[in-house]
Amino acid sequence: MKAIIKKYLKINNYDKKQNDFENLFLSHPNYPSLFAITDTLDMLSIENVAAKVPKEQFPELPNSFLAVFNDDITLVTKQNNEIAVEKEKEGKKKVSTDDFLNKWNGVVIAIEQGVKLERKRLSLFKSKYVLLVLILFSLFVIKMEQMNGLISIFNFGIILIGVLISVLIVDEKLNTLDGAISKICSFSEKTSCDSVIKSKNAKITKWLDFSDLPILFFSVSALLIVIDESNLKLINFLSVLSLPIILYSIWLQQSKLKKWCVLCLGISSLLIIQAALFFIVNQPLTWNLLSITNVLLVMVPIWFFWKPILFKRVELQKKNIELIKFKRNYTVFKSLQKEIVNEQRLKALTKVEIGNKNASVNLTLILSPSCSFCHTAFENGLELVNSSLNKVRLTVFFNLNPDNKDNPYLSIVESILQINENMPEKIVEAISDWHIKKMSLEDWKEKWEQKKKDSNIVQIIREQYEWCSDNNFNYTPVKLLNSKLFPGEYDIEEVKYFISELEEELQPILV
């Protein structure tokens, strides 16, 4: 499902948000529901709508959208009189408009077209597969000049292709295979690399399975050829010995699993070609035991040292997603919030308000100009407001003793509150200059200090200070969310996970 949605994002010029979408979507507590999709789009500030549309209004829908088709999330593209429907496992196919309308339940998800950015040339080394192909091709070209005869060159090419396919098999085992190769693995109902490679029948021992054999065989073979071309005959002989394993693999796929692994068939084909070359090429079979032993002593330990690290990394990623999913559970978040003293008095305090004043989600920050952690808190709070599509407002006040005239930062708070009264359109810039740009005290006062201050400014600071004392807030920053203490286990940017639930909770209940 995620691949289909990522493709839809790309169509609408949200290429840079594809990876962010995947991480947020997979860790959503309601994954893989429609709500998880729309909520994740909201978190990424992508305007979207999910609705049930009357089938008569189908012509009015955009040229591409997501739909529930045959009870599955499908990417739909309108093309003249035909409809292209694409599912993650089944790929793309064309259906008639009538056939689509009969199997469509009317539910669509559509997003607003993003701004098309000028495409930059991607570095070839961005893709590990492209990098691997370049390395193997370079090795082939270098070695080709030293080899005798086209058959030897062809044989070496077969081995390098085997290395590439072996890496793809390992990636499939690790669940990291993506893109065109992944589609090839599942281009029909009878093909599934995943089902075959991860089958229990693919296990040989506790520490060895069939996915290990290709990477070991072809990597060892490649290194042996690099060392000495005469090892080709030996490798072809070993390919002959692998024929029973190939037959077992084919029987397993056809009779037991009833699924074909395209990558496995590719490896089998290469081994059969190499086995045939053993009988075709008239060359003496030599056993260079020293080079064979040296290569095995290098490659086997490297693989079995690196393999658990790769699998552990994937396992940790899965656990991390589960932990994030738990952390993003609103019930957990809400249970960690604490009540404050005198909530009504808090609402009556004069404060700085930033963003949509009618937003139902209110993040309150209690700051001090001398607190370095307050710089980060304000910056994160302002970023949340700017990215929340007017769904969050930021409220700021200060915890500062107005009777301490020796505090050099007192004049900053007095000036900020005065600016809030006289020039509210400048308040964000004034606070940002201090907390985000971190201007020096002298520079900030030169730019923003208010020479004339209203008599009520000191009283406002006193009321804020006293309210903080009543709640034993003798530290800054203090973070409140909708008048409840923000859990210390969460960061401000994580509020975006709960905006929908917070809005829903504050909706009036109609009786």
Side-chain angles (χ1 to χ4, degrees):
M1 182 189 295
K2 61 178 172 52
I4 290 296
I5 304 171
K6 286 170 69 177
K7 185 171 182 179
Y8 182 51
L9 290 172
K10 185 175 182 179
I11 290 172
N12 287 277
N13 304 321
Y14 292 105
D15 309 49
K16 291 186 176 181
K17 296 193 176 185
Q18 287 178 309
N19 290 334
D20 290 337
F21 176 87
E22 180 176 350
N23 294 331
L24 291 170
F25 181 54
L26 291 176
S27 61
H28 197 284
N30 299 104
Y31 170 83
S33 65
L34 286 176
F35 172 69
I37 297 173
T38 57
D39 198 36
T40 303
L41 293 171
D42 285 341
M43 289 179 213
L44 295 172
S45 301
I46 298 174
E47 290 280 3
N48 67 91
V49 61
K52 190 159 187 177
V53 179
K55 295 186 178 182
E56 306 84 63
Q57 295 183 8
F58 173 74
E60 300 172 22
L61 291 173
N63 289 332
S64 63
F65 56 90
L66 297 174
V68 178
F69 179 74
N70 273 352
D71 299 322
D72 198 2
I73 295 294
T74 307
L75 175 59
V76 180
T77 308
K78 295 195 284 187
Q79 299 174 338
N80 299 325
N81 295 324
E82 287 186 317
I83 308 296
V85 293
E86 184 174 351
K87 297 184 180 181
E88 191 153 333
K89 293 183 179 179
E90 300 176 12
K92 183 187 286 189
K93 65 178 180 179
K94 291 185 178 180
V95 298
S96 66
T97 303
D98 291 338
D99 189 26
F100 174 80
L101 293 176
N102 287 334
K103 297 178 181 178
W104 173 47
N105 68 355
V107 174
V108 300
I109 298 176
I111 62 177
E112 184 179 300
Q113 186 86 12
V115 178
K116 189 171 185 179
L117 301 174
E118 184 180 346
R119 291 187 175 272
K120 296 181 179 179
R121 290 186 178 181
L122 294 176
S123 169
L124 287 174
F125 298 96
K126 282 263 184 177
S127 168
K128 61 181 177 183
Y129 298 129
V130 173
L131 180 59
L132 178 60
V133 170
L134 284 174
I135 292 172
L136 294 176
F137 182 74
S138 301
L139 184 62
F140 177 75
V141 171
I142 293 169
K143 189 64 182 175
M144 183 176 62
E145 297 178 355
Q146 305 169 4
M147 301 188 81
N148 298 317
L150 291 175
I151 292 181
S152 296
I153 294 172
F154 173 73
N155 207 341
F156 186 54
I158 291 291
I159 291 170
L160 295 181
I161 293 172
V163 172
L164 177 61
I165 298 178
S166 301
V167 171
L168 296 177
I169 288 175
V170 173
D171 268 1
E172 178 66 27
K173 185 84 173 177
L174 291 166
N175 289 322
T176 56
L177 196 63
D178 204 355
I181 304 297
S182 182
K183 290 181 180 178
I184 291 172
C185 279
S186 56
F187 72 89
S188 76
E189 294 180 359
K190 293 185 178 181
T191 59
S192 174
C193 297
D194 182 81
S195 301
V196 177
I197 293 171
K198 297 176 185 175
S199 165
K200 292 180 180 179
N201 300 98
K203 279 276 185 186
I204 300 173
T205 67
K206 187 177 181 180
W207 52 271
L208 182 71
D209 57 46
F210 279 109
S211 63
D212 294 316
L213 299 181
I215 192 74
L216 285 171
F217 178 80
F218 285 104
S219 60
V220 168
S221 298
L223 194 52
L224 282 172
I225 303 306
V226 170
I227 293 171
D228 190 348
E229 181 186 338
S230 65
N231 288 319
L232 275 171
K233 190 71 173 181
L234 171 62
I235 293 165
N236 292 340
F237 174 69
L238 294 175
S239 299
V240 174
L241 297 181
S242 73
L243 291 177
I245 300 175
I246 294 171
L247 292 174
Y248 172 75
S249 173
I250 293 173
W251 171 82
L252 182 66
Q253 295 173 67
Q254 182 181 27
S255 303
K256 201 159 187 178
L257 300 176
K258 300 188 184 303
K259 292 283 185 182
W260 292 102
C261 169
V262 178
L263 297 175
C264 305
L265 292 175
I267 289 291
S268 299
S269 302
L270 296 178
L271 290 170
I272 291 171
I273 293 171
Q274 285 190 297
L277 289 173
F278 175 78
F279 298 103
I280 294 171
V281 179
N282 186 16
Q283 185 180 344
L285 177 61
T286 58
W287 294 80
N288 190 338
L289 292 177
L290 181 61
S291 63
I292 294 171
T293 304
N294 288 338
V295 169
L296 288 174
L297 287 175
V298 171
M299 297 305 297
V300 173
I302 285 176
W303 171 244
F304 285 106
F305 170 79
W306 188 246
K307 178 185 173 182
I309 295 175
L310 291 174
F311 282 85
K312 189 68 177 177
R313 181 171 176 266
V314 172
E315 184 183 344
L316 289 173
Q317 287 174 340
K318 289 180 181 178
K319 288 183 178 179
N320 189 46
I321 287 174
E322 291 301 317
L323 288 172
I324 293 173
K325 189 180 293 187
F326 173 78
K327 193 176 183 182
R328 287 180 56 182
N329 188 306
Y330 181 62
T331 304
V332 174
F333 176 81
K334 188 177 178 181
S335 68
L336 293 172
Q337 284 191 284
K338 296 178 182 178
E339 300 291 336
I340 57 175
V341 175
N342 205 336
E343 180 182 337
Q344 292 303 317
R345 187 180 169 195
L346 170 67
K347 293 179 179 179
L349 291 175
T350 301
K351 300 173 288 289
V352 175
E353 290 186 298
I354 298 171
N356 177 16
K357 294 185 179 181
N358 296 318
S360 53
V361 181
N362 180 25
L363 173 67
T364 299
L365 297 178
I366 305 173
L367 307 176
S368 169
S370 59
C371 164
S372 59
F373 296 107
C374 295
H375 298 330
T376 303
F378 178 77
E379 185 172 5
N380 291 339
L382 186 61
E383 186 176 333
L384 176 68
V385 170
N386 292 335
S387 64
S388 67
L389 300 174
N390 292 321
K391 294 181 178 180
V392 179
R393 72 181 188 272
L394 175 62
T395 301
V396 177
F397 67 96
F398 299 90
N399 186 2
L400 212 66
N401 184 354
D403 296 325
N404 183 10
K405 303 302 181 181
D406 294 329
N407 188 341
Y409 300 104
L410 181 60
S411 63
I412 290 182
V413 175
E414 291 174 343
S415 294
I416 285 175
L417 294 175
Q418 191 64 56
I419 292 168
N420 191 49
E421 285 193 9
N422 297 343
M423 301 178 291
E425 72 280 0
K426 296 283 188 180
I427 192 62
V428 174
E429 184 184 355
I431 303 180
S432 297
D433 278 351
W434 180 257
H435 282 298
I436 298 178
K437 292 185 178 179
K438 300 173 186 173
M439 293 175 66
S440 67
L441 180 61
E442 294 75 16
D443 290 342
W444 192 93
K445 289 175 71 174
E446 183 180 344
K447 181 177 179 181
W448 293 108
E449 186 174 26
Q450 304 297 297
K451 302 300 182 183
K452 294 182 179 180
K453 301 183 182 73
D454 294 344
S455 57
N456 66 329
I457 293 297
V458 174
Q459 182 58 27
I460 291 173
I461 297 174
R462 188 180 304 281
E463 289 173 356
Q464 295 177 357
Y465 174 71
E466 289 174 352
W467 186 87
C468 289
S469 297
D470 291 343
N471 282 272
N472 293 318
F473 292 151
N474 53 3
Y475 60 91
T476 55
V478 175
K479 295 170 278 189
L480 307 174
L481 189 64
N482 285 357
S483 301
K484 290 184 179 179
L485 196 61
F486 194 86
E489 295 80 3
Y490 289 80
D491 296 320
I492 288 174
E493 54 263 31
E494 292 177 294
V495 172
K496 63 186 178 185
Y497 298 151
F498 310 110
I499 291 176
S500 298
E501 287 90 345
L502 288 163
E503 286 185 315
E504 186 177 337
E505 192 175 69
L506 293 169
Q507 291 294 325
I509 300 175
L510 300 177
V511 181

